[in-house]
Amino acid sequence: MSVSFPGLFEAVPDALIVADGRGRIVQANVQAERLFGYPRGGLSGIEIEKLMPDEARERHRAHRNDYMARPHVRPMGVTGQSLIGMRLDGTRFPVEIALSPIGDGEDSRYLASIRDISETQRARQALVRARYDALVARIGQLALEAQDESGVIDHVPALLAGALRAATVAVLFVASDRQSLDTRAAIGLNRGAAGEDDIAAVLQALARGEPWLVEDLRQHRALGGAFPFAAQAEGSAALMPLFDRGRPLGALLAIAAEPGLFDHDAVHLLQSVANLIAAFVQRRRTEEQLAHSQRLDAVGQLTGGIAHDFNNLLTVMSGSLQLLELEYEHTPEAGELIASALRSVGRGAELTGKLLAFARRQRLSPRAVDAPALLRDVESMLKRTLGESVRLYLHCADDLPPAYADPAQLDAALVNLALNARDAMPRGGEIAIEAREHRVEADAAGADLAPGRYVRISVADTGRGMAPETLARAMEPFFTTKESGRGSGLGLSMVYGFAKQSGGHLRIDSALGYGTRVDLYLPAAEAWVADAPAPNEARVDGNGETVLVVEDDDAVRGIAVSFLQASGYRVIAVADAAQALQQLAIGDDIALMFSDVMLGAGMNGKELALAARALRPLLPVVLTSGYETDAAAAAAEAGAFELLRKPYRREQLVAAIGRALNPVVDDAGD
């Protein structure tokens, strides 16, 4: 049976095909032959599935059989899915199809009206892409205007859900314990909805580092698969990882009720938004770290300056008390009072030492340190100190390189960290100390650590942890959450300053209820170097030699003069570098120069020492400082001048002068 009105059949602008009950084409108009690239009469007798790609033919036969069993009129555009036609030359193109049964009984025929929608589809895609681009631009604008992370992240789920017709959209972040998830913002998902299986699936996906797409959740489950937060959902799902410098940060989750919803454009939108979120969070955290570092640097400069002035005061107080001690050495009552005052001065000196450590102005003597051996020594001491309620675990990786650091300061830093961990566990708990090698490649270097090899020593506790606002201030000097009398607030700040001055870094990771982990990074030593012999502290009194004292503080200068005169030296005292150079020019009998590094206006102590050596090449020089400036550190590192730290005791000053006047001769080359 052919279609009636053959003139109308050919005049219709759409391609028309009539098929029989076996799916064979019995009639086609010219538009159909032209659309599919067949010659006149070439469509007659072929199976309808020949007009579509190979991979779609079996599926279409099943759909065709279902339709022929229950034939009905089906208008164009109601299939809800993309249909693809294939021309005789193999090219593919999108189509829409209307179906209608013709006749009944054994001679049933089926009319298909086919329309090429390539241009229409391109127009639709262009509109969709324009809408998606506008959405990405909107989120980018939010990122520029936002004051914090929530100003962007809180808006993302609603914007994406509306654009993609998704029932569930969520922004998930990996929690600080790296074992759980924080639902930062979501639509269609409760904040506490994450089960153990959901968390494990997300973390495994992040470990793979690739987007995770499921076109049909029901079919995916039928094959034994699972998808986080979609145990009962129907439709499709997507999970886009968020990364911060290659480290998993979180994920962007989307679940829709329709299968196959996440096409190329939708996936591109999700990936673009995920990248925007990751970049925004990374920028914000970098800005916060920079601001924190700048704040600590500013406080450090202020602290260092205060420590310098305070050390000058302590030098005067200590010196005066030592002179009184000499005068009243046969008066026990006075001696006890003087000794008590000197102990207070010592505690003040320890306090300024901690301030200088935070300000990165303490004097360090770095060398190659056997970290496992040092940690074992610290372990034995801590086991006696921490108490029975605290369990201490120590682990050192094999082939650990030596750390390049001041061993005494490293020992003090580890004790500080362990005691802080103990105080965070009032009812007891566990402290784990671990040492491993850490490498920073050139392409992964940041502001915290330069490229190279490091030794990372981690101290982790099972205590109560810190809230974000506490964590943000944890390394500031004098900041403490302990009750009055339990701490000075200088422990972490001292460790931070020691790490930075040593060329390393300190990182703290903590969350309420999850404990705290502190990572101390120190440069790895290139090779073992034999320890330098300790300086001879034996006091050597003078024999009338002339010492030139250069000190801009009148009171401190008076103390130095008194100490040296009491020890048998003749003293010339001046207040600045200009006067010192004048004395050196006219005084051939000057045997040694003792100068402060900080001399106010004009030359500093190091510059004066170099100028003095230009006049008198063999002149012994001893420098002193209460504030380890770059000039003082450079002078000490060069080994040209001994550096005596304020406040100093009389015997320390006299011993330093004696060493400079009578240096030990190395007999190794004789």
Side-chain angles (χ1 to χ4, degrees), residues 157-462:
L159 292 172
L160 284 178
L164 295 173
R165 305 192 311 277
T168 300
V169 178
V171 181
L172 311 169
F173 280 87
V174 179
S176 58
D177 63 351
R178 315 302 296 177
Q179 301 297 320
S180 57
L181 295 175
D182 174 17
T183 305
R184 191 68 60 86
I187 280 184
L189 182 70
N190 295 328
R191 285 183 176 267
E196 291 184 5
D197 292 341
D198 297 318
I199 294 171
V202 172
L203 294 177
Q204 289 171 7
L206 293 178
R208 292 193 297 269
E210 298 176 351
W212 187 7
L213 302 175
V214 175
E215 292 188 359
D216 191 326
L217 286 167
R218 182 170 57 181
Q219 184 181 21
H220 183 64
R221 281 197 297 274
L223 295 174
F227 195 89
F229 305 99
Q232 304 299 325
E234 304 292 335
S236 50
L239 187 81
M240 297 293 167
L242 308 176
F243 288 100
D244 179 4
R245 299 182 182 91
R247 184 185 185 190
L249 182 69
L252 178 61
L253 171 75
I255 302 174
E258 301 174 33
L261 180 69
F262 299 111
D263 58 11
H264 176 272
D265 291 333
V267 170
H268 185 266
L269 170 64
L270 289 171
Q271 188 67 70
S272 298
V273 174
N275 291 340
L276 268 176
I277 293 173
F280 174 74
V281 171
Q282 180 180 324
R283 189 190 75 185
R284 283 294 177 187
R285 293 184 179 180
T286 300
E287 288 174 349
E288 290 172 1
Q289 291 172 356
L290 178 61
H292 183 59
S293 178
Q294 289 174 336
R295 183 170 68 251
L296 290 178
D297 284 345
V299 174
Q301 292 179 11
L302 175 64
T303 301
I306 292 173
H308 167 254
D309 292 338
F310 194 43
N311 272 334
N312 273 343
L313 295 175
L314 289 176
T315 300
V316 176
M317 293 168 60
S318 174
S320 299
L321 289 167
Q322 290 177 67
L323 293 173
L324 286 172
E325 191 176 40
L326 287 175
E327 187 170 344
Y328 290 96
E329 60 181 342
H330 300 299
T331 308
E333 296 82 0
E336 291 177 4
L337 291 173
I338 293 170
S340 176
L342 281 172
R343 286 193 293 271
S344 295
V345 170
R347 286 194 292 272
E350 291 176 4
L351 176 62
T352 56
K354 293 179 179 179
L355 291 173
L356 288 169
F358 169 70
R360 306 175 216 172
R361 291 292 184 267
Q362 64 180 335
R363 187 177 182 185
L364 298 179
S365 300
R367 60 180 177 83
V369 177
D370 183 351
L374 184 142
L375 287 173
R376 284 192 294 271
D377 291 342
V378 170
E379 179 187 27
S380 61
M381 186 272 290
L382 287 176
K383 283 184 175 179
R384 297 190 299 269
T385 306
L386 296 176
E388 295 181 356
S389 63
V390 176
R391 295 177 297 279
L392 181 65
Y393 300 96
L394 176 67
H395 174 72
C396 293
D398 296 333
D399 300 324
L400 188 68
Y404 187 68
D406 185 315
Q409 294 296 330
L410 175 55
D411 187 289
L414 293 174
V415 170
N416 260 303
L417 294 178
L419 294 181
N420 270 352
R422 178 203 62 185
D423 293 343
M425 302 183 297
R427 297 182 180 179
E430 297 179 359
I431 299 176
I433 303 178
E434 181 185 48
R436 290 186 178 278
E437 182 180 359
H438 179 79
R439 292 179 181 267
V440 178
E441 305 299 336
D443 56 353
D448 296 336
L449 289 172
R453 297 169 69 219
Y454 295 85
V455 175
R456 184 189 71 196
I457 303 176
S458 303
V459 180
D461 64 62
T462 58

Side-chain angles (χ1 to χ4, degrees), residues 438 448-449 475 505-509 517-521:
H438 179 79
D448 296 336
L449 289 172
M475 289 184 285
H505 188 59
L506 189 74
R507 288 178 182 158
I508 306 177
D509 191 7
R517 176 190 175 100
V518 181
D519 291 323
L520 173 62
Y521 296 86

